[in-house]
């Protein structure tokens, strides 16, 4: 389980670094990238993904699978929130 948490933390750190680099290149882009946190459609898609994968992963891999399902849910929400204009 320890290795899974480290790899998941590295993936999340890579997304944060990507945001920081984009923010340095173009101020204001960081808030656009993280706007998925206020987008109900993106959050719903991420939550459904995490829930479905989490249920399947729990049966197959236990806690490690749930970590990956949660990360997949966050990445789905992040991807769904990209390219949409904030209201």
């Amino acid at each position: 389980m320890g290795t899974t948490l480290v790899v998941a933390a590295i993936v999340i750190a890579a997304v944060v670094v990507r945001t920081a680099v984009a923010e340095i290149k173009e101020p204001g882009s960081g808030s656009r990238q993280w706007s998925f946190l206020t987008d109900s459609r993106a959050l719903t898609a991420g939550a459904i993904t995490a829930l479905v994968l989490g249920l399947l992963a729990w049966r197959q891999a236990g806690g490690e699978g749930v970590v990956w399902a949660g990360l997949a849910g966050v990445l789905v929400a992040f991807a769904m929130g990209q390219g949409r204009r904030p209201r």
Side-chain angles (χ1 to χ4, degrees), residues 9 13-14 19 21 23 26 28-31 34 40 43 46-50 52 60 62 71 78 81 85-86:
T19 300
V21 169
E23 183 69 26
E26 181 185 345
S29 65
S31 61
W34 289 91
S40 61
L43 288 177
I48 290 171
T49 300
V52 171
Q60 295 296 318
L71 182 60
F78 184 80
R85 297 191 185 243

Side-chain angles (χ1 to χ4, degrees), residues 61-72:
E64 291 181 1
V66 173
V67 170
W68 288 112
L71 182 60

Side-chain angles (χ1 to χ4, degrees), residues 3 6 13 15 17 33 51-52 69 76 78 80 83-84 87:
T3 304
V6 169
V15 171
V17 168
Q33 286 184 1
L51 179 66
V52 171
V76 165
F78 184 80
M80 291 261 323
R84 294 191 58 181
R87 295 180 190 179

Side-chain angles (χ1 to χ4, degrees), residues 4-54:
T4 299
L5 290 176
V6 169
V7 173
I10 289 170
V11 170
I12 291 170
V15 171
V16 171
V17 168
R18 176 180 177 255
T19 300
V21 169
E23 183 69 26
I24 290 170
K25 290 181 180 178
E26 181 185 345
S29 65
S31 61
R32 282 193 306 272
Q33 286 184 1
W34 289 91
S35 65
F36 76 93
L37 293 172
T38 58
D39 184 356
S40 61
R41 189 173 134 193
L43 288 177
T44 301
I48 290 171
T49 300
L51 179 66
V52 171
L53 289 177

